[in-house]
Amino acid sequence: MKGRTSLLWVREKYHVAFALTALTAMTQMLIGQFDADYLAAVFVGGRLSYVYYRYARTPLRSLKESLRMVDLIQGVVFATFVAQLPTSLATTLVVTGLAVIPYYAKISLFGCSLRQIPYLKLLYIGVLWTSVVIAPIYDTAGQLTPSVLTYASAYTLRTFLFVLALTIPFDIRDRETDRGQIHTLATALGKRTAVSISILILLINLGVDG
């Protein structure tokens, strides 16, 4: 069972990275500007988000023993791709990456852990993913026509809603381990209601003009 869980964990890391990269590639197709460096950085960065998750939960005194060479190499690869990007895109990836740490490291804000704020996980992931996916649009905003920029606004909302709907199934899967620790739709309302909300979000997404 343990081996099976580990295998699913490995697959999930790449599923998420591929999904994030695919959405970003769709954005690049929308504006007609392909940037392989940005896509590569997004893929490696998406994979590294799971590394953040593991290390953020590791006590500082044990961190040195927990560090793996493959993770350090991935960090160097990510930094290499980011260094070749325009400043705005590089900043988006770096800031987004750093923004993951406070949540998973259980850092408190005004005496309250971010992980204890109800439903924040869903919004947190939605905002971070959307920021990465739509960044190419706003990086080239000065070269785009008003009609494309209008579409881009609707596209941003649709991306956000899609990511929300995509995140809820993961919350359903994790509801037993999240229970008592993180307040998600799945832990608060149950599996059936969470699924219904995910479907409703997708339907609203389809109705967004753009």
Side-chain angles (χ1 to χ4, degrees):
M1 185 68 178
K2 183 178 180 181
R4 182 182 178 186
T5 302
S6 299
L7 181 60
L8 289 174
W9 177 253
V10 170
R11 288 177 176 175
E12 181 185 344
K13 287 185 280 192
Y14 289 100
H15 286 170
V16 170
F18 275 121
L20 186 56
T21 305
L23 287 173
T24 306
M26 289 172 61
T27 301
Q28 292 185 347
M29 291 172 61
L30 169 68
I31 62 177
Q33 297 201 19
F34 182 78
D35 188 335
D37 287 332
Y38 187 69
L39 290 180
V42 167
F43 179 81
V44 178
R47 168 64 178 77
L48 281 175
S49 65
Y50 282 86
V51 176
Y52 284 156
Y53 178 79
R54 184 174 65 250
Y55 288 141
R57 302 182 66 179
T58 303
L60 191 59
R61 62 180 178 278
S62 306
L63 190 58
K64 184 177 180 180
E65 292 77 13
S66 302
L67 286 173
R68 300 191 311 173
M69 182 58 67
V70 64
D71 296 333
L72 294 176
I73 292 174
Q74 287 183 90
V76 172
V77 172
F78 176 71
T80 301
F81 283 121
V82 168
Q84 301 179 63
L85 297 174
T87 302
S88 59
L89 292 179
T91 301
T92 297
L93 286 179
V94 172
V95 170
T96 302
L98 292 176
V100 173
I101 297 176
Y103 183 82
Y104 287 116
K106 302 181 181 180
I107 293 177
S108 296
L109 185 66
F110 302 115
C112 178
S113 170
L114 293 178
R115 292 169 67 87
Q116 296 299 318
I117 300 176
Y119 315 121
L120 179 63
K121 179 183 178 182
L122 183 65
L123 297 175
Y124 210 77
I125 295 175
V127 170
L128 295 183
W129 271 48
T130 302
S131 298
V132 170
V133 170
I134 66 160
I137 294 179
Y138 296 97
D139 179 62
T140 58
Q143 308 170 34
L144 303 178
T145 63
S147 60
V148 173
L149 287 175
T150 299
Y151 179 87
S153 299
Y155 183 80
T156 299
L157 177 58
R158 293 183 65 176
T159 300
F160 177 71
L161 292 173
F162 181 76
V163 172
L164 291 186
L166 191 67
T167 302
I168 292 175
F170 287 96
D171 287 343
I172 294 173
R173 183 205 59 186
D174 297 336
R175 66 187 185 281
E176 295 303 326
T177 54
D178 286 345
R179 200 180 304 278
Q181 302 182 51
I182 306 175
H183 299 285
T184 65
L185 291 175
T187 59
L189 304 176
K191 177 181 177 180
R192 181 172 297 181
T193 303
V195 169
S196 298
I197 292 175
S198 180
I199 294 174
L200 177 61
I201 292 174
L202 286 175
L203 292 175
I204 294 173
N205 180 30
L206 293 175
V208 175
D209 186 26

